[in-house]
Amino acid sequence: MIVPSIFALAAFAKTASAAAAASTGFTAPAPAPTSESPFYVGPANNTITNTPIVPGKVFDRFIQIWLENTDFDSAASQPVFQSLAAEGITLTGYYGVTHPSEPNYLAAVGGDFFGLAEDSLEYIPTNMSTVVDLLDQKNISWATYQENMPTDAYEGYNFTNSDNYTYYVRKHNPLVIYESVANISTRAARIRNFNDFAVDVGNDSLSQWIFITPNLRDDGHDTTVGYAASWLTYWLLPLLNDTSFNTNSTLILLTFDENETYTIGNNVFSILLGGVIPAAMKNTTDPTFYTHYSTLSTVENNWDLGNLGRQDTNKTVANVFEIVANITSYQNNNLTGSSASLPQLNITGTIPGTVEP
Ligand SMILES: *[C@@H]1O[C@H](CO)[C@@H](O)[C@H](O)[C@H]1NC(C)=O
Ligand SMILES: *[C@@H]1O[C@H](CO)[C@@H](O)[C@H](O)[C@H]1NC(C)=O
Ligand SMILES: *[C@@H]1O[C@H](CO)[C@@H](O)[C@H](O)[C@H]1NC(C)=O
Ligand SMILES: *[C@@H]1O[C@H](CO)[C@@H](O)[C@H](O)[C@H]1NC(C)=O
Ligand SMILES: *[C@@H]1O[C@H](CO)[C@@H](O)[C@H](O)[C@H]1NC(C)=O
Ligand SMILES: *[C@@H]1O[C@H](CO)[C@@H](O)[C@H](O)[C@H]1NC(C)=O
Ligand SMILES: *[C@@H]1O[C@H](CO)[C@@H](O)[C@H](O)[C@H]1NC(C)=O
Ligand SMILES: *[C@@H]1O[C@H](CO)[C@@H](O)[C@H](O)[C@H]1NC(C)=O
Ligand SMILES: *[C@@H]1O[C@H](CO)[C@@H](O)[C@H](O)[C@H]1NC(C)=O
Ligand SMILES: *[C@@H]1O[C@H](CO)[C@@H](O)[C@H](O)[C@H]1NC(C)=O
Ligand SMILES: *[C@@H]1O[C@H](CO)[C@@H](O)[C@H](O)[C@H]1NC(C)=O
Ligand SMILES: *[C@@H]1O[C@H](CO)[C@@H](O)[C@H](O)[C@H]1NC(C)=O
């Protein structure tokens, strides 16, 4: 039982997610995703201060939400993912870049996983740039929200709540691993927890680039994809209707870090959602070959950010999401998720790099 005593279960039982939750064991930590909760541990910090909105060519806000270790078909069979797919564009050719978790998270913000092949305690040295450097150069605000991270930019390897369950892990918090972010106090303040999220969205002060990591149960890692679906029903569905989260210029990516079965490639179920999806594109699929590097190339293209010069510039693995490329006339490589010549993205431990040569 993870519900703080101050919240009556009865209140939650009235919500739409109660039926779904009952079958998976999911229990809501608060009445709504915009409510603070002692379950999220540290109290909310001061409201974040953002620079004025920098318009992008297609979107002004990009939110990515990462779930864990689920094969494409397992997610596709869930009713919640099906109803979300009806509201967005399903990316059938989206791939994780390696195994296990941590290198995938590193890759999504740093453009490489530097040879890392495990979920170890890492500190990427300050001279390694990330997407934060690109965003800061253009005064584009950013933040990451990590469920159950006890305090902002917490440096520990994991955190165990008072119920003795370890909900938070550093390996799923990509920016804290880069010292070029975690060691600069103004940047560290943007590595935030879910109490901060509740306050920030309540104050309509969300940033323009956002990375969301649910805890080890809510992201499906320690549970099932059905449990993650219950969390999405509780957390994401109401936020999609909240204009402090999802504006008409917001693009949201819901994805998984990696496919569960190493031997069959690394295709992960991913959906683009948000106010920028034209009505005519809802409930469609885009078969283009994308990877986690596409999240970098897409924001770089949207805001003319320049690049990190790593796999974000590798034309083989960094196609720009077509919802953007079609408007900016960016030329993708024409590979789809079913092309015969896709690179192997399920290999691990064999690629040299500066973290693990
Ligand atoms: C970054 O610094 C480390 C030492 O902390 C050094 O080994 C490495 O070569 C440097 N990398 C770059 C790209 O400058
Ligand atoms: C709030 O921010 C300050 C300064 O960044 C930090 O020292 C403190 O730990 C933060 N508190 C929480 C609860 O995150
Ligand atoms: C949390 O960290 C401790 C050591 O710091 C380790 O023994 C334990 O296995 C970790 N638990 C999880 C779930 O990562
Ligand atoms: C957590 O573990 C400690 C030490 O094993 C134990 O004393 C305590 O009762 C446990 N708390 C809960 C809520 O299970
Ligand atoms: C979101 O808004 C739509 C349309 O107004 C409504 O049908 C739906 O029930 C709302 N969803 C939630 C979770 O509030
Ligand atoms: C988007 O929303 C803003 C205000 O929130 C409004 O001024 C603008 O007209 C809307 N644009 C479209 C295309 O609906
Ligand atoms: C990766 O997936 C391919 C099929 O796409 C399979 O042939 C290969 O054995 C897998 N590699 C590993 C290391 O599991
Ligand atoms: C994992 O990804 C491969 C593509 O590489 C896909 O064919 C397979 O269906 C996925 N696994 C499952 C069980 O869906
Ligand atoms: C979405 O498309 C599928 C077929 O791809 C169809 O079965 C379903 O009814 C559509 N859903 C909505 C809400 O239009
Ligand atoms: C991009 O343009 C192509 C060619 O016109 C079209 O088939 C596709 O549906 C478009 N995709 C998106 C996501 O707009
Ligand atoms: C992709 O296809 C388009 C349209 O057929 C073509 O113009 C373009 O050159 C192709 N791009 C590559 C990299 O092959
Ligand atoms: C680009 O990606 C492909 C596929 O992963 C890889 O084989 C190639 O070495 C990469 N190119 C560079 C310059 O890293």
Side-chain angles (χ1 to χ4, degrees), residues 7 10 12 60 140 200 223 244 291 331:
F7 297 115
F12 171 64
D60 297 345
I140 297 167
D200 291 349
T223 52
S244 296
T291 73
Q331 284 299 304

Side-chain angles (χ1 to χ4, degrees), residues 98-100 103 113-120 262 348-351 355-356:
T98 186
H99 293 294
F113 54 87
F114 312 107
L116 184 66
E118 54 189 324
D119 287 327
S120 41
Y262 281 31
T348 182
T350 58
I351 301 170
V355 171
E356 251 178 34

Side-chain angles (χ1 to χ4, degrees), residues 27-302:
T27 311
T34 49
S35 308
E36 295 174 72
S37 168
F39 172 69
Y40 297 144
V41 193
N45 225 318
N46 297 329
T47 302
I48 204 165
T49 305
N50 289 332
T51 44
I53 288 175
V54 178
K57 292 171 189 162
V58 176
F59 54 84
D60 297 345
R61 175 179 288 159
F62 180 60
I63 302 173
Q64 49 189 316
I65 303 162
W66 279 44
L67 303 173
E68 275 278 318
N69 299 7
T70 299
D71 289 332
F72 190 99
D73 296 343
S74 308
S77 68
Q78 290 287 326
V80 174
F81 287 93
Q82 289 164 3
S83 56
L84 284 169
E87 294 299 315
I89 302 172
T90 301
L91 308 177
T92 55
Y94 189 111
Y95 280 68
V97 297
T98 186
H99 293 294
S101 292
E102 186 172 355
N104 280 290
Y105 288 80
L106 288 181
V109 299
D112 204 340
F113 54 87
F114 312 107
L116 184 66
E118 54 189 324
D119 287 327
S120 41
L121 179 62
E122 299 295 341
Y123 303 85
I124 309 283
T126 38
N127 57 7
M128 275 316 177
S129 56
T130 71
V131 67
V132 162
D133 296 284
L134 303 178
L135 294 165
D136 279 354
Q137 274 172 24
K138 295 274 184 176
N139 292 317
I140 297 167
S141 59
W142 58 271
T144 177
Y145 295 94
Q146 303 282 318
E147 190 175 13
N148 296 92
M149 181 178 67
T151 55
D152 293 349
Y154 174 73
E155 284 279 1
Y157 187 54
N158 56 41
F159 184 80
T160 303
N161 270 31
S162 58
D163 64 0
N164 286 346
Y165 198 90
T166 300
Y167 293 94
Y168 167 83
V169 284
R170 176 186 171 95
K171 66 180 178 179
H172 295 169
N173 182 355
L175 289 172
V176 86
I177 300 169
Y178 286 90
E179 295 196 318
S180 62
V181 183
N183 286 4
I184 297 175
S185 61
T186 51
R187 289 178 167 183
R190 294 181 168 274
I191 304 175
R192 297 167 78 74
N193 76 8
F194 265 37
N195 279 325
D196 291 313
F197 176 82
V199 169
D200 291 349
V201 74
N203 286 325
D204 198 10
S205 57
L206 288 186
S207 296
Q208 291 194 259
W209 182 99
I210 293 173
F211 193 106
I212 307 257
T213 305
N215 72 40
L216 281 180
R217 291 169 70 76
D218 292 342
D219 70 6
H221 181 280
D222 289 2
T223 52
T224 59
V225 66
Y227 192 101
S230 294
W231 176 76
L232 289 170
T233 305
Y234 161 71
W235 195 86
L236 182 59
L237 265 49
L239 286 172
L240 290 177
N241 282 358
D242 187 334
T243 52
S244 296
F245 181 84
N246 180 20
T247 67
N248 61 15
S249 54
T250 295
L251 179 65
I252 300 165
L253 171 69
L254 178 65
T255 190
F256 292 83
D257 69 328
E258 54 178 333
N259 168 317
E260 173 81 352
T261 309
Y262 281 31
T263 50
I264 51 172
N266 214 346
N267 192 199
V268 287
F269 190 83
S270 305
I271 311 173
L272 291 177
L273 295 158
V276 299
I277 307 289
M281 295 301 296
K282 289 185 178 175
N283 203 25
T284 63
T285 57
D286 172 359
T288 308
F289 172 55
Y290 301 118
T291 73
H292 294 319
Y293 298 125
S294 300
T295 66
L296 289 168
S297 60
T298 297
V299 298
E300 291 164 2
N301 187 231
N302 179 65

